[in-house]
Amino acid sequence: MQRTYKTASYGGRQSRRMSTEPMRFDTKIAVLLREDLEPWQRLNVTAFLVSGLGSQLPEVIGEPYEDADGVPYLPMFRQPVLVFEGTKETVTSAHTRTLSRALPRAVFTSDLFTTGNDHDNRAAVRAVPTGELDLVGMAVYGPRNAVDKVLKGAKMHP
């Protein structure tokens, strides 16, 4: 699971090419999806999960963007989001390890595919005990080595 990503941070407008020097982050943002999801479900679940991390952990968000004409754009994560997949058991085990390490996390259960709004989503999760959640995905953020341990048994999403 160790990879280096080519990214760079810049201040202001850019008149030069992006740096190709690898930047290694001490933290990791990861999404783990159950391998039996349909393609549209994978995309939907991933989007929902990472929105939870970004809304509660301001340190994961970079600076706003701006194009050469001065048009502003919203800030995004400051580092790559790694997407993994695994069996139902892998996701359940990863969730248990995340809880034992008290890492920031977001969950998506199968029940959320049948709800149509945020209120009903929260009620669906609240109605099920932790050990009985039918998890189809989760996001986790934390120190790189702790997240790697949480994701044991998962593989990079193809």
Side-chain angles (χ1 to χ4, degrees):
M1 281 188 256
Q2 298 288 359
R3 291 193 177 180
T4 303
Y5 295 89
K6 294 179 181 179
T7 68
S9 61
Y10 299 98
R13 287 188 180 170
Q14 298 306 306
S15 59
R16 64 182 191 269
R17 292 174 26 155
M18 287 182 50
S19 171
T20 58
E21 291 186 33
M23 177 179 265
R24 182 167 170 90
F25 294 93
D26 294 334
T27 58
K28 184 179 274 189
I29 300 171
V31 172
L32 175 57
L33 303 171
R34 210 164 72 191
E35 64 187 5
D36 60 349
L37 297 179
E38 295 293 327
W40 72 268
Q41 291 173 318
R42 291 171 184 259
L43 295 171
N44 184 267
V45 170
T46 300
F48 269 93
L49 289 170
V50 297
S51 72
L53 293 178
S55 67
Q56 294 298 304
L57 302 164
E59 68 270 20
V60 302
I61 303 297
E63 296 296 319
Y65 286 74
E66 181 179 292
D67 66 25
D69 294 323
V71 176
Y73 301 95
L74 294 172
M76 295 185 280
F77 289 121
R78 66 180 180 88
Q79 68 188 84
V81 175
L82 304 175
V83 182
F84 296 84
E85 69 174 12
T87 63
K88 181 176 183 171
E89 294 76 21
T90 301
V91 177
T92 300
S93 295
H95 179 250
T96 301
R97 289 190 290 268
T98 300
L99 294 175
S100 72
R101 287 170 172 76
L103 294 172
R105 69 232 164 237
V107 296
F108 198 103
T109 68
S110 62
D111 296 330
L112 303 188
F113 290 126
T114 63
T115 60
N117 60 71
D118 186 52
H119 180 268
D120 291 341
N121 285 351
R122 287 192 316 277
V125 173
R126 190 180 315 112
V128 181
T130 305
E132 297 175 26
L133 291 171
D134 185 17
L135 297 168
V136 298
M138 60 174 282
V140 60
Y141 171 75
R144 174 178 288 280
N145 62 344
V147 174
D148 286 344
K149 289 176 183 174
V150 162
L151 297 173
K152 184 179 178 182
K155 60 184 179 181
M156 287 295 290
H157 190 280

